[in-house]
């Protein structure tokens, strides 16, 4: 193998590795975004749980509280999807 062939091979490897690094950076950005959304959802769920626990007296839930509680639970279990109209 002469020097020109060696340099061409090194350049090809460099180009492939650069492309792979770009793909990995894109993947990191997508995962970071998904993680932030998931952590936000966890925070929302913890807040909802805390509010419901504070509002609902232990063992004595009036019907209107049960209805409100069920509406909150339903909303949390079935969050609206982008582009899909709500109920």
């Amino acid at each position: 193998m002469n020097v020109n062939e060696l340099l061409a091979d090194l350049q090809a490897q460099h180009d492939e590795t650069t492309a792979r690094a770009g793909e990995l950076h894109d993947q990191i950005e997508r995962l970071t975004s998904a993680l932030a959304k998931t952590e936000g959802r966890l925070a929302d769920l913890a807040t909802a749980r805390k509010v419901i626990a504070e509002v609902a007296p232990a063992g004595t839930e009036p019907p209107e509280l049960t209805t409100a509680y069920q509406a909150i639970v339903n909303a949390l279990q079935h969050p609206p999807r982008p582009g899909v109209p709500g109920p």
Side-chain angles (χ1 to χ4, degrees):
M1 179 179 281
N2 67 34
V3 172
N4 288 334
E5 290 173 337
L6 178 60
L7 289 173
D9 183 53
L10 288 173
Q11 184 61 51
Q13 289 182 42
H14 181 270
D15 294 345
E16 290 173 13
T17 304
T18 299
R20 178 67 178 143
E23 292 168 2
L24 291 171
H25 281 290
D26 291 344
Q27 186 176 9
I28 288 169
E29 287 177 19
R30 286 191 307 274
L31 290 171
T32 299
S33 175
L35 177 60
K37 288 177 185 176
T38 301
E39 288 175 338
R41 177 90 170 118
L42 285 171
D44 291 346
L45 291 169
T47 300
R49 186 177 58 238
K50 181 180 176 183
V51 168
I52 291 169
E54 289 174 0
V55 172
T60 56
E61 295 184 11
E64 65 274 3
L65 185 58
T66 301
T67 303
Y69 171 81
Q70 190 60 49
I72 292 169
V73 169
N74 288 342
L76 292 173
Q77 288 177 344
H78 306 287
R81 295 183 312 210
V84 177

